[in-house]
Amino acid sequence: MNYPGKIWQTDRSVVYFVIILFAMGIASVQAGLNSPALVNPSFEDPVLAAGTNSNDINVWFDGIGYTYTADDGAASHPETPYGDNWSEFGQRRWMYQQVGTYDANMDIEISFLMGARSDKGPSPVVVGLLVGGNPALAADLNTQFYVADFGNSSNPLVGIVGASLIETSGEIAPFSGTALATSEQTITLSTGTGYTVGDPLWLQFYCPLTSAGRMLIDNIVVEDMSSTDPIAVSPVPGVNAPYVDPAEDLEWNVLNGTGPTFDINIGTTSACDEIISGFDTGSVMSYTPSAGLLNYAT
């Protein structure tokens, strides 16, 4: 199976690293999740000057007003260990992206970093899993909705795209006061039953606060914890780790497998095959790039 979306950075450039697992000679397929894969999960696109922001969250569909990509160099923002950028929004704004296709009874683990600004006050976040609709209708839209409306037509993902709400996290609120702070969060949402296998599966983040508070989010990782197929986990360097030595060993572990073998793909685009394509490491869960294979700022 592919282990997509596992990316590290050399300097400010992105290098893609995909592990492909084979068990009993047949490549397994993770049930719908990450097909398509989550894009821009750590919000490093675009590259921003220190302390500045961009009034958009690239690739994600977002609520336009009060919705930004923000560099962590501003005095009002905490530093993030996952590159330089935060996604930032407030006042009933939102962002969503397709994270795969629906299959029944998947336990989707969603982890992310939350941050609190020093000048606007913290906001809770609500995370939702939705299914269905027409991806061609997904768009940025300058609108708000109330948390009570997460599952009805006031939510653009429901009313415009045509998706249906499966489950939400409820409000996640780790901060109080106005001190700079960060907090790692992990939740699990289940896809349950009663929906059409293969329909689009959506992940949505929402700010329920109606005042001037702001919510900062970074380093979103989405994994299916219910799969019994071999799954590559715990990569080193970690997900979205910045400023990695190009000569550093690549390592990983595996769940749900006994002696699977591995292929390595390395590339500089999402095709992930420009540098190495399908290199067989056998059952060894590590790979050492040869000298000069990877370069900084490439």
Side-chain angles (χ1 to χ4, degrees):
M1 60 171 287
N2 288 330
Y3 185 37
K6 302 308 175 189
I7 300 169
W8 76 94
Q9 290 177 271
T10 60
D11 199 332
R12 283 185 175 269
S13 64
V14 177
V15 174
Y16 293 76
F17 167 37
V18 174
I19 308 168
I20 303 174
L21 288 79
F22 291 88
M24 297 180 292
I26 301 174
S28 60
V29 178
Q30 195 166 357
L33 190 65
N34 283 314
S35 180
L38 191 68
V39 182
N40 200 18
S42 197
F43 312 102
E44 294 305 295
D45 179 15
V47 175
L48 299 171
T52 64
N53 62 62
S54 171
N55 290 333
D56 187 37
I57 302 176
N58 281 359
V59 179
W60 294 79
F61 301 103
D62 62 67
I64 302 180
Y66 298 100
T67 308
Y68 314 95
T69 300
D71 181 86
D72 68 359
S76 58
H77 287 64
E79 184 176 351
T80 168
Y82 306 108
D84 298 298
N85 293 351
W86 294 96
S87 68
E88 175 177 349
F89 45 105
Q91 298 191 8
R92 305 195 304 273
R93 302 291 174 165
W94 43 269
M95 66 179 184
Y96 66 79
Q97 187 178 151
Q98 186 179 352
V99 292
T101 55
Y102 177 83
D103 201 358
N105 295 318
M106 290 192 292
D107 292 327
I108 309 299
E109 183 178 273
I110 303 155
S111 60
F112 55 96
L113 182 69
M114 287 185 69
R117 288 178 58 157
S118 62
D119 59 339
K120 292 290 186 180
S123 171
V125 63
V126 179
V127 184
L129 199 63
L130 298 95
V131 63
N134 181 0
L137 299 177
D140 294 348
L141 186 67
N142 191 12
T143 189
Q144 307 175 24
F145 68 91
Y146 288 88
V147 67
D149 301 325
F150 210 119
N152 69 32
S153 60
S154 294
N155 179 347
L157 183 49
V158 177
I160 295 176
V161 177
S164 299
L165 178 66
I166 299 174
E167 188 178 12
T168 69
S169 64
E171 293 190 7
I172 301 170
F175 308 118
S176 61
T178 56
L180 290 174
T182 61
S183 177
E184 297 279 1
Q185 298 292 321
T186 300
I187 63 169
T188 300
L189 301 178
S190 175
T191 60
T193 60
Y195 303 97
T196 302
V197 173
D199 272 2
L201 187 66
W202 305 90
L203 177 65
Q204 186 170 34
F205 285 75
Y206 167 74
C207 173
L209 200 65
T210 58
S211 63
R214 294 289 187 273
M215 174 180 59
L216 305 177
I217 300 291
D218 196 15
N219 193 47
I220 298 170
V221 179
V222 182
E223 296 184 288
D224 179 8
M225 305 307 292
S226 59
S227 175
T228 58
D229 294 328
I231 303 173
V233 296
S234 305
V236 177
V239 178
N240 302 308
Y243 312 119
V244 173
D245 187 334
E248 183 170 340
D249 290 347
L250 312 180
E251 300 176 355
W252 58 94
N253 291 312
V254 65
L255 294 178
N256 306 328
T258 301
T261 61
F262 305 89
D263 283 354
I264 294 292
N265 283 3
I266 298 177
T268 55
T269 72
S270 57
C272 196
D273 60 4
E274 296 84 4
I275 298 174
I276 287 180
S277 179
F279 179 80
D280 183 1
T281 69
S283 60
V284 177
M285 292 182 287
S286 65
Y287 174 76
T288 302
S290 59
L293 181 68
L294 302 176
N295 298 307
Y296 284 111
T298 300

